[in-house]
């Protein structure tokens, strides 16, 4: 369960988040949609305790991220790719992450196999393709067998097979009772996997709710997305 | 013992150690420092042997292998700077564009949100790696000097003195590396601290220049700590070895405290 309440964030004179509120429920895949620069990453960075809000709260499993005990056992996340140093191997990256939580090495090899990286385990991160880098980021997210998954643009750079694979993975995670929050700037990418939509434009939530309700009255998801995000641009 | 929030410090320190030993830049810095110091000691030893061969009796005291080895120690501190800088700058280096543009600091701080703990674990690991490197380097220098000088040298430096002087150099290197770590937290990139601190330690010492203007410069960390290199000749002025060590330690602690404060408060 993720609860975002009244989140405000300013950078200099610019308000990047303006009283952003929404929830992501267990058992659901929640898609967090918006054009580039709308505030998706800023929201997720605050949710994960990386940046501080100027106002409001972001809670996961009832507490702010920084108060979680063994955070990776509750939340698995990926922001901006795997966040791995380019000169370390994929496996060495996962091993230090696992070490912070006392997670056994066996689990590292398990997640590498799960995301299809067993072959590339000893390849340096700098030599991985965008898609393989994303898979490594997912492996790190899955390491602690978390209840909540927070993924920023996870399908970025994946081939069609990869996209289907990740959809199946997220669906299965939600069906097992987990909470999934994934951001995307492309509506089509999340169609078919999202249960709930949260649409952000220009730092404000412009629509939120079950997929069919948010898209009611539009011909397609794509139309709904453009109409919802464009109206804000005009209003500005 | 389970932590109230975040992860256990013990696990965090072990993770930071794993990060350090699996980073090629760290391995290269350790090897480069040991090999470079040994090379310098070899050159010094060859020079001393030459002087001994050419010089008749009475050309001066017979050189000690340890003394010759030890002259390489101050330059080796450059390796310590690299180790301190890389420990932090590697967090902020962008991954390749292909594998996604993220930086490691995201992974680090989501795994361990307690930032003071992260800095503490890094400092501990840097100190451990640098002190070990110092002992290895000086040991290698001594071995090389003994090898080159052969029977020509009489060892005038006793074990106790050798241990003390090695410990002094190791402490200087360690404090230098921790200062480099703290500065890199503030700059979030390695280039500036590397250039400044390596240049200060090997080419031009800014504090030494400043000491021409004001005697307060002797209380800056590098000048205050310089007598930790026991037995090496240095410019006069400033505190003695023990006081100087405390002064340099205080600087290091203060800089780490500032780094911790900044790291804890700013956006990652």
């Amino acid at each position: 369960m993720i609860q975002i309440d009244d989140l405000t964030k300013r950078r200099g004179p610019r308000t990047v988040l303006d009283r952003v509120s929404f929830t992501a429920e267990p058992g659901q895949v929640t898609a967090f949609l918006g054009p580039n620069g709308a505030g998706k990453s800023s929201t997720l960075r605050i949710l994960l305790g990386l940046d501080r809000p100027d106002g409001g709260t972001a809670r996961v499993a009832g507490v702010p991220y920084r108060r979680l005990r063994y955070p990776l056992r509750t939340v698995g996340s990926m922001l901006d790719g795997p966040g791995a140093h380019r000169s370390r191997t994929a496996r060495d990256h996962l091993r230090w992450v696992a070490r912070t939580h006392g997670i056994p090495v066996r689990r590292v090899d398990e997640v590498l196999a799960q995301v299809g990286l067993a072959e590339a385990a000893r390849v340096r991160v700098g030599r991985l393709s965008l898609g393989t880098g994303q898979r490594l980021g997912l492996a790190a997210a899955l390491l602690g067998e978390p209840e909540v998954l927070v993924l920023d643009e996870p399908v970025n750079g994946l081939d069609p097979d990869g996209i289907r694979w990740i959809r199946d993975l997220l669906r299965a995670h939600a069906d097992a009772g987990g909470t999934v929050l994934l951001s995307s700037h492309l509506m089509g990418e999340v169609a078919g996997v999202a249960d709930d939509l949260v649409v952000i434009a220009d730092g404000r939530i412009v629509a939120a709710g079950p997929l069919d309700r948010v898209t009611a009255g539009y011909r397609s998801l794509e139309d709904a997305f453009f109409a919802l995000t464009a109206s804000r641009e005009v209003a500005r | 013992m389970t932590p109230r929030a975040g992860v256990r410090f013990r696990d965090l320190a072990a993770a930071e150690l794993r990060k350090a030993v699996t980073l090629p830049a760290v391995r290269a810095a350790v090897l480069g420092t040991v090999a470079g110091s040994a090379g310098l000691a070899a050159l010094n030893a060859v020079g001393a042997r030459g002087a001994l061969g050419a010089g008749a009796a009475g050309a001066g005291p017979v050189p000690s292998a340890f003394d010759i080895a030890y002259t390489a120690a101050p330059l080796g501190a450059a390796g310590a700077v690299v180790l301190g800088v890389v420990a932090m700058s590697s967090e902020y280096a962008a991954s390749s564009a292909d594998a996604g543009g993220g930086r490691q600091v995201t992974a680090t701080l989501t795994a361990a949100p307690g930032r003071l703990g992260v800095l503490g674990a890094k400092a501990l690991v840097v100190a451990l790696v640098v002190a070990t490197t110092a002992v290895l380097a000086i040991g290698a220098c001594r071995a090389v000097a003994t090898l080159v000088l052969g029977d020509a040298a009489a060892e005038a430096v006793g074990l106790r003195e050798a241990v003390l002087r090695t410990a002094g150099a190791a402490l200087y290197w360690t404090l230098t590396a921790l200062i480099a770590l703290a500065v890199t937290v503030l700059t979030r990139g390695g280039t500036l601290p590397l250039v400044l601190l390596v240049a200060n330690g090997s080419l031009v010492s800014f504090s030494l220049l400043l000491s021409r203007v004001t005697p307060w410069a002797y209380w800056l960390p590098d000048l205050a700590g310089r007598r930790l290199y026991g037995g090496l000749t240095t410019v006069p002025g400033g505190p003695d070895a023990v006081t100087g060590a405390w002064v340099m330690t205080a600087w290091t602690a203060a800089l780490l405290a500032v780094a911790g404060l900044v790291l804890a408060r700013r956006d990652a």
Side-chain angles (χ1 to χ4, degrees), chain A residues 38-167:
Chain A
K40 299 187 299 293
S41 294
S42 297
T43 306
L44 298 186
R45 291 181 65 83
I46 292 172
L47 172 64
L48 297 172
L50 294 168
D51 292 357
R52 273 181 204 283
D54 291 300
T57 55
R59 281 171 297 168
V60 55
V63 295
Y65 190 90
R66 292 192 198 201
R67 294 249 303 275
L68 288 170
R69 184 179 293 164
Y70 297 117
L72 300 188
R73 295 194 186 281
T74 306
V75 186
S77 63
M78 174 168 73
L79 284 184
D80 272 342
H85 193 278
R86 52 181 302 140
S87 64
R88 216 176 261 120
T89 66
R91 190 164 185 272
D92 280 339
H93 171 69
L94 292 176
R95 281 195 68 181
W96 78 250
V97 176
R99 195 66 200 79
T100 59
H101 281 57
I103 294 169
V105 185
R106 174 171 34 84
R107 178 72 190 146
V108 168
D109 295 322
E110 252 172 51
V111 290
L112 278 167
Q114 192 185 349
V115 303
L117 277 187
E119 301 289 309
R122 285 164 213 285
V123 175
R124 292 196 195 286
V125 171
R127 300 179 59 174
L128 297 179
S129 67
L130 182 54
T132 1
Q134 295 287 76
R135 285 172 188 263
L136 175 59
L138 273 168
L142 296 170
L143 208 49
E145 301 176 74
E147 192 258 314
V148 179
L149 286 176
V150 176
L151 308 170
D152 193 17
E153 308 271 358
V155 296
N156 221 352
L158 288 179
D159 54 21
D161 266 359
I163 293 178
R164 194 164 70 181
W165 165 78
I166 196 171
R167 281 182 182 163

Side-chain angles (χ1 to χ4, degrees), chain B residues 24 42 65-67 88 90 93-94 97 137 146 150 152 161 166-168 178 204 206 219 229 244 250 254 260:
Chain B
F66 183 85
D67 276 333
M88 201 66 210
S90 59
T146 310
E161 190 193 338
T166 303
L178 292 176
V204 217
F206 303 115
W219 297 84
Y229 293 123

